[in-house]
Amino acid sequence: MPAWSFGQLTDAFSAVSGPDDLRRLNQAFPDRYPFLLQSTSRGSELGRYDILFAFPGESLVLDNANPEEPFLAALDDWWQRDRQDLPDSPLPFRGGWFLYLGYELAGEIEPKLDMHTDPLLPIAFAVRCKTALIWDHEQQVCVLVEEPVTSSDVAQMCADVDALESEVRAEVDCSAAAVEETPTNFTDAVIVAKQHIAAGDVYQANLSREWRATIPSALCSEAIYETLCATNPAPFAGIARWRDTTI
């Protein structure tokens, strides 16, 4: 069976020939493979693994309609119920959850914060993922992690990879006119942040600049992600499907 047993990297999931297959599985079958974390730049231990989470299960959601629900406590209870003692392994994931934690979740830890809600995404969500494909860039091998390994899941993965081989991939034009936020918005925020640091209110501030672009309706989010991986490679990259929204 092309699977991996805990504690060793000897049995590869040979159906996957490279990290691009993980990206193509995410694009072709998002219901079965909704979350992909990748390292698109090489040269460090941080960039060794890509993880494609497969066959999502139950979810825990903290949305804007019920911001008072205790997400972190509920997640901890869930983890305590499902946790297992496993031997040491170099792999970064051996089953568990895929987590999205928005900045707004800080309000659950510090209620005095005045947090703005996101119109598209929940405050946080956790999705149970007992299965994943992991590409090891150092060993050039793909391994399957599952709790426990089942022949039906392996067969489904093999069939999905086989379906990719017959897929004809067309070149996609991802060019779009982008509008940058007014530069003074950022420089003014830097001045305010430095004032807060000097006053002892905070010790660090992470600022960003907003860009907006209108894209053709035929342009999918996966094509945008693939272009970003090629033009702006990073040790931490990823794409995640949440219902009708892509992160």
Side-chain angles (χ1 to χ4, degrees), residues 60-217:
L60 174 67
V61 183
L62 176 62
D63 57 29
N64 299 316
N66 300 290
E68 304 303 322
E69 293 292 330
F71 178 86
L72 293 174
L75 178 61
D76 186 65
D77 289 342
W78 193 2
W79 172 70
Q80 293 289 355
R81 291 194 304 269
D82 286 14
R83 64 182 300 184
Q84 301 177 36
D85 292 326
L86 299 174
D88 292 336
S89 167
L91 291 180
F93 182 80
R94 289 183 288 167
W97 290 260
F98 178 87
L99 302 181
Y100 167 78
L101 308 178
Y103 281 110
E104 298 83 4
L105 187 61
E108 187 172 302
I109 302 169
E110 179 47 76
K112 293 182 179 180
L113 293 175
D114 181 18
M115 308 297 291
H116 298 283
T117 59
D118 191 299
L120 298 177
L121 292 169
I123 297 172
F125 65 78
V127 179
R128 190 72 165 92
C129 294
K130 298 183 179 181
T131 309
L133 290 173
I134 302 179
W135 179 262
D136 184 343
H137 289 278
E138 183 176 300
Q139 299 290 332
Q140 289 294 294
V141 65
C142 183
V143 294
L144 167 62
V145 176
E146 194 167 23
E147 320 168 24
V149 174
T150 63
S151 58
S152 60
D153 285 351
V154 173
Q156 181 65 69
M157 287 182 170
C158 290
D160 290 340
V161 175
D162 288 343
L164 297 178
E165 296 178 358
S166 60
E167 175 189 356
V168 178
R169 305 182 70 192
E171 293 293 330
V172 179
D173 181 10
C174 288
S175 59
V179 178
E180 184 181 1
E181 183 182 43
T182 304
T184 54
N185 289 352
F186 181 79
T187 54
D188 290 347
V190 171
I191 294 173
V192 173
K194 292 173 70 175
Q195 292 171 346
H196 280 294
I197 292 172
D201 299 329
V202 299
Y203 65 88
Q204 177 178 313
N206 298 322
L207 305 177
S208 62
R209 302 179 68 178
E210 184 178 55
W211 292 64
R212 291 178 175 268
T214 301
I215 62 175
S217 58

Side-chain angles (χ1 to χ4, degrees), residues 35-46:
F35 312 123
L36 172 63
L37 301 180
Q38 287 193 297
S39 299
T40 55
S41 65
R42 304 275 72 83
S44 71
E45 183 66 22
L46 292 176

